[in-house]
Amino acid sequence: MERTVTSKPLTGDVFYPPPEIESQANVPEYETLYRRSLEDPQVFWAERAAELEWFQPWEEVLDDTEAPFFRWFVGGKTNIAYNCLERHVKTWRRNKLALIWEGEPGDTRSFSYHALDREVAKFANVLKSMGVKKGDIVSIYLPRIPEQVIAMLACARIGAAHSVVYGGFSVEALAERIEDAQSRVLVTADGGWLRGKIVELKQIADEAMARQPTIESCIVVRRTGQEIYMEAGRDYWWDDLMGLPIASPVCPSEPMDAEDLLFILYTSGTTGRPKGVVHTHGGYMVYTYTTLKYVFDLKEEDRYWCAADPGWITGHSYIVYAPLLNGATSFMYEGAPNYPYPNRWWRMIEKYGISILYTAPTAIRGLMRFGDAWPNRHDLSSLRLLGTVGEPINPEAWKWYYSVIGKERCPIMDTWWQTETGGFMITPLPITPLKPGSATRPFFGVEVDVVDDQGKPVPAGDEGYLVIKRPWPAMLRTIYRDPERYKNQYWSKFGHMYQTGDSARKDEDGYIWVIGRMDDVIKVSGYRLGTAEIESALVSHPAVAEAAAIGLPHELKGNAIHAYAVLRAGVEPSDRLAEELRNHVGHEIGPIAKPENITFVDGLPKTRSGKIMRRLLKARALGQPEGDISTLEE
Ligand code: WTA
């Protein structure tokens, strides 16, 4: 195929890939393959899907007759967990390391593909013995320990879906997710280690189970070993169950329809309660497998570390599923990056010979502030590629990551994507010339644009809505039990285009620069929270009548939450009350959701229809012009 790449030099601050990376990249060229992937996406995805195992071939790659409810690999039967484990166990990879893990206190464990497969089969049988069947939803609330991976894969193996709740969430966040999923089984732990302290997961789970009594069985991993409450007939120790004869290591994967439910992951939206984003076995498998292989250029000898938490989409896709689908060796770490000292990460990169590091801008900024001496004390020469995700990376942090960590040898894959997209959407490849702060170009088969209110593309350099113009295999299928919300949220504004909720610019080279959320979602240290959740947590406190939350720029966290509270009649504002409210939000949602500060006000600016004008609160807090306030209530 002829190349139509213009040799016009790129504009701006450009970093070209080092020749040794470029010459060995899994994908040697972008433009031609990208064009071909758009000309015939079905052929492109069918070829990728054929690299994995199917129990029964698909009849149709994409069915769009009921758009926006798309179906991929229609009629195909497979199982993602089978492709993660059993497929490799049949080959030499049986004895390859699948997972290396280090706990915060310094304890370590590792699993070959054979060992991981065995643990997963055993736990799958444990779940079966508790009555878990195909189609059930198991809630998982664990620290970053191997059991997290094992539990997720065990669910997938028997055709149950998992709903993982991030271990940093707290009582109400856990309770409402259990309730929405109507889970009967919860997997948790006695606790987890963070900054040398125990996170009391079981205690939080007990409170959540008291609020949502759907849970009949709770399986508890012994992690910290401290004394905890165990309710007879409901709570069981993981290791006790795994020692029983029912925990046999033989449990073949259940053949699943490509469109069968794989997991629900709750994420924050514009309004109301978190929504359960639905992903399925087939398309998600093909997409996460391909994106990781191409973008992080996986080789057999790599030691890949995605430093996210399995409780968020980054962990689902790029700690659990994609690395195992690729037969890679992953590393996983339980605790805080700066515990006990700010060299913890750099020490582990040296110790384990990590070659790929994938993390978030907030972590980079956090470690940058301790200075260069900490990383410089360690041999980081095993690193080959770096990655970032979660929010726009500021060029200063990008350059520090590039020069001090990557020693100017390691390209940075700035991957833009969402819980809903399942995998990377806008991302460089190792061969892509990079511009710090830009996620560069769309992945194969992905068509994106930046448009105005009417859905028309805006000129290069202008800000607009970031949209996705055609379906892709790992797209969310719906919002669990709420298809209307799926349609309204993502497909109502521009009809046939998926609305991301982000604003962006496209430069004259076609590079995308994501600016940030345009809705009421706040990215705090890369974690996604909704103003509505924080507000309802505040209002659940007896002193508060009404509340509003906004995000304001923060040097380390990217955004920080600021809250406004109107108190009930007779309640006096005080610093103590503000502190109590902050802790209340921490107790209900989780420490990440604690507002930076709480301002007591007499009233909130509202539209005539009664909606809180957060935009106005934000403009006022930043001392910016108030903009159009014609809808403001008198
Ligand atoms: C933001 C995380 C800029 C964006 C995988 C998106 C980013 C939201 C990037 C989704 C990036 C993610 N550059 N912004 N590389 N990656 N975002 O669902 O606002 O937790 O809409 O998924 O994170 O957050 P979520």
Side-chain angles (χ1 to χ4, degrees), residues 549-568:
I550 57 168
L552 295 178
H554 184 279
E555 211 183 318
L556 287 180
K557 300 177 179 173
N559 295 289
I561 299 163
H562 292 254
Y564 298 82
V566 180
L567 296 177
R568 282 185 192 280

Side-chain angles (χ1 to χ4, degrees), residues 277 279 284 287 313 416-425 468 472-476 498 500:
V277 167
H279 285 288
Y284 177 83
Y287 195 83
I313 192 67
W416 178 90
W417 57 295
Q418 307 179 302
T419 306
E420 294 87 342
T421 71
F424 311 150
M425 297 298 281
I468 303 169
W472 64 101
M475 66 193 305
L476 80 162
Y498 168 90
T500 65

Side-chain angles (χ1 to χ4, degrees), residues 172-202:
E172 185 56 26
L174 176 59
E176 67 185 3
R177 285 161 175 77
I178 289 174
E179 193 265 337
D180 192 75
Q182 292 289 306
S183 281
R184 290 185 303 107
V185 175
L186 174 68
V187 185
T188 187
D190 54 356
W193 290 105
L194 192 66
R195 283 181 208 92
K197 295 203 186 76
I198 291 175
V199 183
E200 300 282 352
L201 292 173
K202 179 61 166 54

Side-chain angles (χ1 to χ4, degrees), residues 247-265:
S248 133
V250 182
C251 181
S253 282
E254 184 76 22
M256 301 298 285
D257 190 276
E259 284 294 321
D260 274 342
L261 180 60
L262 171 62
F263 66 82
I264 298 172
L265 185 56

Side-chain angles (χ1 to χ4, degrees), residues 58 81 106 122 190 314 358 453 458 471 504-505 577 590:
W58 57 90
K122 290 181 64 171
D190 54 356
T314 309
Y358 182 34
D453 239 351
V458 299
R505 292 185 289 117
L577 180 59

